[in-house]
Amino acid sequence: MMDKNRRYWLLTILILVVWFINGFYCKILNQVPRHQEIVSRVLSDEYAREITFTIGVLEVFMVVWILSNYKSKFNAISQIIIIITMNIIEFILAKEILLFGSLNLIFATLFCGIINYQEFILKEKCYA
């Protein structure tokens, strides 16, 4: 069985990788055009590239914030709120563009569960 500290850091790396890939690779480098299509559908066709790029930068900033461990509980709550809000909006306005369609909301909820477990359960046990 993996010890709690190792599990905590592996989940932290997983969370960092998800934010970084979605922000940098998918949005800043525009390697997954579907993200810009979703932004176009939800916010604005006219400025979809600029908005997508900005969202990508903010996601990379999330990586930095997670790494800094500054106000980590607030960070985790912010991540969960952002992910759920974004996925509900996308589910309502752009479901057919999403990678997993209706299942995206389930995967987002599971990811939020990982964030919650990592910050509020594992971290508490590791650093209590």
Side-chain angles (χ1 to χ4, degrees), residues 27-115:
K27 294 181 181 88
I28 292 173
L29 296 181
N30 200 27
Q31 294 299 305
V32 182
R34 178 176 26 81
H35 289 272
Q36 189 169 317
E37 291 176 46
I38 293 166
V39 169
S40 177
R41 175 83 57 88
V42 172
L43 296 174
S44 164
D45 191 40
E46 184 177 358
Y47 298 106
R49 178 67 198 124
E50 293 84 354
I51 294 168
T52 305
F53 183 87
T54 302
I55 293 168
V57 169
L58 292 171
E59 289 178 342
V60 171
F61 281 151
M62 183 64 78
V63 170
V64 174
W65 187 10
I66 294 166
L67 284 170
S68 76
N69 206 33
Y70 178 73
K71 297 196 178 202
S72 64
K73 289 186 184 341
F74 178 68
N75 177 282
I77 292 166
S78 298
Q79 288 180 69
I80 292 167
I81 291 170
I82 290 165
I83 292 165
I84 294 299
T85 302
M86 173 186 68
N87 277 274
I88 288 172
I89 292 169
E90 291 171 352
F91 178 81
I92 293 168
L93 299 176
K95 181 179 6 179
E96 65 281 356
I97 303 173
L98 300 175
L99 181 60
F100 301 110
S102 298
L103 295 176
N104 258 51
L105 202 50
I106 293 169
F107 289 114
T109 302
L110 290 172
F111 187 58
C112 290
I114 290 170
I115 294 167

Side-chain angles (χ1 to χ4, degrees), residues 1 9 97 116 128:
M1 178 106 184
W9 286 108
I97 303 173
N116 181 68

